[in-house]
């Protein structure tokens, strides 16, 4: 973590140099450099990428898949044949972990990205129109917060015979329900932030100068709430992965034959003492996944923050 | 103040009505208790099933809207929340379970809040020192563990302690041992059952409060009014406790509104894992038993808890924030 208030002579010199040389660094380059400077965040990104790659190509390294039963090796510990052992049904745990990691990452990424998008559109609309529109939309938002999401997830994924449940795989159904219940907090935050931004002098000045609303939104609102949005994406991804694991752990959410980390962890709890590898392997993967996202969080926030003061600490790291 | 709270209360009652109605329609259109009845041995005829459902006011042949009207009239006129497919009355079942849930969570919620805020203040006052790093790292760790898994790990730990000592100190499941003599023995038994769930919920919960309190306090420690207070001759600690602390507590108080229902939602997991027959585990069971009325009742309860949390947060804010004027 960098000290935000440190005045770094190197930075001052660099800025002076930049001003005189009239060099403009592209914004994406600045963001990229700032992010790369944060060692923890880079480590988190690497772990996350490694897990993603593992979840896609990991299946090629084993002859087993998540459906084939090996009747001669039921509930065996890790060995050369089965890298991570087998489950009580005799299914290769390595193959299931690869599959489960992919489903968990997929759920996390889709829910994290789309829910922030919904929140941004909803929150900005509220703040931009204000008045009656704001009141009605806020009412809908708070009513949604009041609904206990878990019950709705349980009803949606485990009710009686219904067309939707038979046609959709359970992970897709879970994504839809999680999306409905995951954007409200962010939307509230974005609403209050953009409301205060609308009062700022530079926005007012732009309005009086006749700048069209859409340009005001893109030029002045979005960059200022951008760091928050990015932060909420990683947070949303983490929250979605955690929600999936928690729901599947107690038996709602993802249903067998679909596999996810939560299903694997939840299914192994009753035999944690007899078959410890079945519990600890998927749990470790989940920790790596959520841990790497948490490590990236701070670096991303700093990189996207337009008022970040971390510029220049590239040459001399000040603690 | 009272008028303001009453106004908020009316809004929330309306909201509770809406969410509960929506929940009822969702449950009534997707839960089908009649299907479960047919799995009985000996298998009843469809007529028998429909008949027994009709007697309990769960007629599957009526449209959702007709059932909704019937259900709502029952609540409004007699405060009768209907019956389960097995014939039990929701009102009677609900009373017991609410008490169990409240007993389980009241202590944990208070502990979570007090420990979280206290550690937040402690770590903010020692920013970047060893204690701060340890406490804040722990909070981030708590943030990346799903609640049910954390509870399960605490449970494993308690079992390990029991095995090491060779005696049963902690009870990891259930709410009490049947057949205890009332008085001291019963009290000790209750504590032994309480300890593990309360510790587990508190351990998981305080992290987010600690991070929030630390962050808000740090935002305020260098504010002008704190510097002014120090310039008047107060020590750093005095300036923080007298001026910065109060201001930094306002956003934390606001977040209580969202945390009480979150702890309640976490309660599903806690009750399920520690086998406490409270509202949370009841609602999960109700859904797997295709019990429309019980599922809706628990949903309504969840909404009421949220509304109470929100009103409490408003109240706390008006108490600590002198800038809030209530019209």
């Amino acid at each position: 973590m960098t000290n935000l208030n440190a005045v770094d002579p190197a930075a001052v010199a660099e800025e002076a140099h930049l001003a005189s040389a009239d060099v403009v660094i592209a914004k994406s380059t600045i963001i990229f450099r700032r992010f790369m400077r944060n060692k923890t965040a880079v480590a988190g990104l690497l772990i996350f990428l490694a897990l993603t790659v593992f979840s896609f190509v990991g299946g090629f390294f084993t002859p087993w898949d998540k459906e084939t039963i090996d009747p001669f090796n039921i509930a065996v510990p890790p060995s050369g044949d089965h890298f991570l052992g087998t489950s009580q049904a005799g299914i290769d745990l390595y193959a299931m972990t690869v599959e489960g990691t992919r489903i968990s990452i997929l759920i996390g990424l889709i829910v994290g990205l789309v829910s922030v998008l919904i929140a941004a559109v909803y929150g900005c609309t509220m703040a931009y129109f204000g008045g009656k529109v704001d009141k009605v939309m806020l009412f809908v938002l708070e009513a949604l917060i009041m609904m206990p999401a878990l019950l709705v997830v349980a009803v949606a994924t485990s009710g009686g015979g219904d067309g939707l449940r038979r046609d959709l795989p359970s992970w897709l159904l879970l994504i839809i329900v999680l999306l409905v219940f995951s954007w409200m907090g962010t939307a509230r935050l974005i609403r209050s932030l953009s409301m205060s931004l609308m009062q700022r002098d530079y926005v007012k000045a732009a309005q009086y100068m006749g700048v069209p609303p859409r340009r005001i939104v893109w030029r002045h609102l979005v960059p200022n709430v951008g760091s928050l949005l990015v932060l909420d994406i990683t947070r949303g991804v983490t929250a979605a992965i955690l929600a999936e694991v928690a729901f599947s752990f107690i038996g709602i959410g993802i249903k067998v034959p679909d596999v996810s980390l939560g299903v694997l962890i939840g299914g192994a709890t009753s035999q944690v003492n007899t078959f410890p590898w079945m519990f600890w392997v998927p749990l470790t993967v989940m920790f790596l996944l959520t841990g790497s996202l948490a490590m990236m969080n701070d670096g991303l926030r700093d990189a996207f923050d337009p008022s970040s003061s971390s510029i220049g600490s590239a040459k001399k790291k000040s603690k | 103040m009272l008028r303001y709270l009453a106004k908020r209360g009316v809004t929330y009652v309306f909201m509770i009505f809406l969410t509960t109605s929506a929940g009822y329609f969702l449950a009534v259109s997707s839960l089908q208790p009649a299907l479960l009845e047919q799995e009985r041995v000996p298998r009843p005829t469809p007529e028998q099933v429909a008949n027994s459902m009709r007697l309990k006011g769960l007629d599957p042949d009526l449209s959702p809207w007709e059932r909704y009207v019937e259900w709502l009239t029952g609540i409004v006129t007699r405060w009768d929340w209907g019956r389960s497919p097995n014939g039990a009355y929701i009102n009677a079942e609900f009373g017991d379970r609410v008490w169990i849930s409240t007993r389980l969570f009241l202590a944990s919620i208070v502990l979570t809040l007090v420990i979280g805020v206290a550690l937040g203040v402690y770590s903010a006052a020692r920013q970047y020192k060893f204690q701060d790093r340890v406490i804040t790292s722990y909070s981030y760790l708590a943030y990346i563990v799903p609640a049910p898994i954390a509870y399960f790990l605490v449970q494993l730990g308690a079992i390990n302690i029991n095995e090491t000592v060779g005696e049963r100190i902690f009870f990891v499941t259930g709410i009490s041992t049947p057949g205890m003599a009332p008085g001291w023995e019963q009290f000790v038994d209750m504590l032994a059952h309480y300890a593990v769930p309360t510790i587990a919920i508190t351990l998981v919960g305080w992290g987010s409060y600690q991070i929030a309190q630390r962050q808000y306090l740090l935002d305020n420690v260098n504010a002008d009014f704190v510097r002014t207070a120090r310039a008047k001759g107060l020590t750093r600690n005095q300036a923080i406790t007298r001026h910065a602390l109060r201001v930094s507590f306002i956003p934390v108080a606001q977040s209580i509104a969202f945390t009480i229902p979150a702890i309640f939602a976490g309660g599903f997991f806690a009750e399920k894992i520690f086998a406490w027959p409270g509202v949370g585990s009841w609602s999960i069971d109700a859904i797997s038993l295709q019990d429309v009325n019980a599922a809706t009742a628990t949903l309504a309860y969840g909404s009421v808890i949220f509304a109470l949390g929100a009103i409490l947060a408003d109240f706390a804010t008006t108490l600590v924030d002198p800038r809030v004027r209530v019209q």
Side-chain angles (χ1 to χ4, degrees):
Chain A
M1 243 153 274
T2 48
N3 183 0
L4 297 181
N5 296 323
V7 178
D8 188 339
V12 175
E14 189 182 319
E15 262 176 315
H17 170 73
L18 286 180
S20 61
D22 209 22
V23 177
V24 179
I25 308 178
K27 200 174 172 193
S28 53
T29 321
I30 298 182
I31 291 173
F32 178 74
R33 283 189 192 163
R34 272 200 206 136
F35 182 78
M36 295 312 278
R37 225 171 271 155
N38 190 327
K39 292 285 171 292
T40 328
V42 174
L45 182 68
L46 288 180
I47 297 174
F48 186 73
L49 285 180
L51 278 173
T52 313
V53 171
F54 164 76
S55 75
F56 279 100
V57 303
F60 297 128
F61 299 117
T62 174
W64 304 99
D65 61 41
K66 60 151 184 155
E67 268 140 19
T68 316
I69 293 170
D70 183 359
F72 304 108
N73 292 307
I74 287 177
V76 293
S79 65
D81 236 8
H82 297 278
F83 301 140
L84 298 174
T86 58
S87 74
Q88 275 164 311
I91 298 175
D92 187 51
L93 193 64
Y94 175 79
M96 285 204 292
T97 308
V98 171
E99 173 84 12
T101 312
R102 187 164 67 235
I103 295 284
S104 288
I105 292 180
L106 199 70
I107 290 177
L109 284 181
I110 294 179
V111 175
L113 286 170
V114 178
S115 73
V116 169
L117 206 68
I118 299 175
V121 172
Y122 200 91
C124 283
T125 316
M126 286 166 94
Y128 195 82
F129 289 107
K132 275 236 166 63
V133 179
D134 179 51
K135 265 202 175 127
V136 172
M137 286 174 90
L138 192 65
F139 186 84
V140 173
L141 195 151
E142 290 199 321
L144 264 178
I145 294 181
M146 275 174 90
M147 293 278 268
L150 186 115
L151 285 185
V152 181
V153 174
V155 170
T157 54
S158 62
D162 194 40
L164 190 70
R165 259 185 295 287
R166 225 171 297 132
D167 299 339
L168 290 177
S170 59
W171 58 268
L172 196 59
L173 202 63
L174 185 66
I175 286 182
I176 295 171
V177 185
L178 283 182
L179 267 181
V180 173
F181 287 102
S182 59
W183 54 270
M184 293 90 70
T186 317
R188 254 179 89 115
L189 242 167
I190 289 172
R191 167 180 170 268
S192 56
L193 258 179
S194 23
M195 266 185 161
S196 82
L197 284 174
M198 292 293 287
Q199 303 300 317
R200 294 286 173 87
D201 288 341
Y202 55 85
V203 174
K204 284 214 168 127
Q207 275 175 331
Y208 290 137
M209 280 160 68
V211 179
R214 200 192 298 138
R215 258 187 79 151
I216 296 184
V217 170
W218 277 113
R219 266 283 161 83
H220 300 304
L221 293 191
V222 173
N224 278 299
V225 295
S227 65
L228 186 106
L229 288 183
V230 172
L231 199 66
D232 259 88
I233 289 175
T234 52
R235 204 183 287 155
V237 174
T238 318
I241 292 175
L242 290 182
E244 182 274 309
V245 171
F247 289 163
S248 307
F249 184 82
I250 62 166
I252 55 181
I254 303 266
K255 293 278 152 93
V256 187
D258 285 337
V259 191
S260 72
L261 292 177
V263 172
L264 291 177
I265 299 169
T269 48
S270 49
Q271 305 93 19
V272 66
N273 286 323
T274 28
F275 312 119
W277 65 93
M278 288 184 205
F279 178 73
W280 293 107
V281 167
L283 190 69
T284 314
V285 176
M286 189 216 74
F287 273 136
L288 284 177
L289 205 57
T290 47
S292 63
L293 283 163
M295 284 157 79
M296 278 196 278
N297 225 354
D298 185 59
L300 276 176
R301 191 210 62 78
D302 198 45
F304 276 87
D305 188 357
S307 58
S308 165
S309 49
S310 82
I311 186 161
S313 63
K315 290 189 182 129
K316 212 169 91 183
K317 187 110 183 156
S318 49
K319 265 269 145 113
Chain B
M1 175 68 119
L2 279 179
R3 252 188 72 198
Y4 170 76
L5 287 180
K7 217 170 116 187
R8 297 286 291 181
V10 170
T11 320
Y12 282 121
V13 167
F14 184 50
M15 260 187 203
I16 292 168
F17 173 71
L18 280 186
T19 54
T20 312
S21 299
Y24 186 81
F25 279 114
L26 184 74
V28 90
S29 54
S30 65
L31 299 179
Q32 289 170 340
L35 283 181
L36 217 64
E37 286 288 293
Q38 284 177 350
E39 286 168 9
R40 279 200 193 172
V41 184
R43 175 184 271 214
T45 63
E47 289 78 39
Q48 283 175 323
V49 172
N51 216 1
S52 84
M53 288 291 147
R54 198 167 301 125
L55 283 176
K56 294 164 201 156
L58 297 165
D59 197 339
D61 296 329
L62 292 178
S63 72
W65 174 254
E66 286 169 314
R67 287 182 65 177
Y68 172 70
V69 171
E70 198 181 303
W71 170 82
L72 195 64
T73 344
I75 295 175
V76 174
T77 55
R78 307 186 300 275
W79 191 245
D80 178 4
W81 286 76
R83 295 173 71 176
S84 296
N86 63 10
Y89 287 90
I90 303 292
N91 286 21
E93 296 259 307
F94 200 72
D96 300 341
R97 290 162 202 274
V98 166
W99 177 228
I100 291 175
S101 286
T102 313
R103 257 175 35 186
L104 177 58
F105 294 119
L106 211 57
S108 335
I109 288 177
V110 172
L111 278 177
T112 304
L113 257 174
V114 171
I115 297 179
V117 171
L119 282 183
V121 173
Y122 180 84
S123 55
R126 289 161 188 75
Q127 195 188 6
Y128 298 139
K129 286 199 183 126
F130 177 71
Q131 299 99 315
D132 173 39
R133 288 202 191 275
V134 171
I135 293 170
T136 311
S137 314
Y138 169 81
S139 297
Y140 277 109
L141 187 72
Y143 162 76
I144 61 163
V145 188
I149 289 178
Y151 299 156
F152 181 70
L153 292 176
V154 171
Q155 201 176 35
L156 275 186
I159 293 175
N160 275 338
I161 293 177
N162 280 349
E163 278 171 1
T164 330
V165 180
E167 195 185 341
R168 188 162 229 198
I169 306 172
F170 298 115
F171 287 85
V172 290
T173 53
I175 51 167
S176 62
T177 317
M180 281 282 172
W184 178 246
E185 202 181 334
Q186 202 177 27
F187 180 72
V188 171
D189 178 63
M190 194 188 79
L191 278 190
H193 281 92
Y194 248 113
V196 178
T198 308
I199 292 173
I201 298 169
T202 312
L203 277 180
V204 178
W206 89 52
S208 54
Y209 281 116
Q210 190 265 328
I211 292 180
Q213 181 66 59
R214 173 179 181 273
Q215 196 56 47
Y216 292 126
L217 189 55
L218 283 179
D219 285 349
N220 280 313
V221 157
N222 296 321
D224 287 343
F225 62 89
V226 179
R227 221 176 314 158
T228 315
R230 289 216 59 191
K232 285 194 303 188
L234 271 67
T235 67
R236 187 180 143 85
N237 279 339
Q238 278 172 329
I240 288 177
T241 43
R242 282 196 206 155
H243 298 272
L245 203 54
R246 195 174 167 139
V247 180
S248 69
F249 185 66
I250 295 165
V252 179
Q254 275 291 326
S255 77
I256 296 174
F258 296 93
T259 315
I260 288 180
I263 288 180
F264 172 76
F268 295 103
F269 303 124
E271 287 174 13
K272 208 75 192 141
I273 285 166
F274 298 113
W276 280 55
V279 179
S281 60
W282 188 42
S283 62
I284 302 287
D285 296 342
I287 287 161
S288 60
L289 292 174
Q290 312 283 320
D291 187 341
V292 177
N293 286 335
T296 317
T298 52
L299 206 142
Y301 177 67
S303 306
V304 170
I305 293 281
F306 175 83
L308 283 181
I311 292 177
L312 211 69
D314 286 346
F315 188 67
T317 313
T318 50
L319 276 187
V320 291
D321 192 350
R323 290 170 303 183
V324 175
R325 289 276 175 272
V326 182
Q327 339 43 10

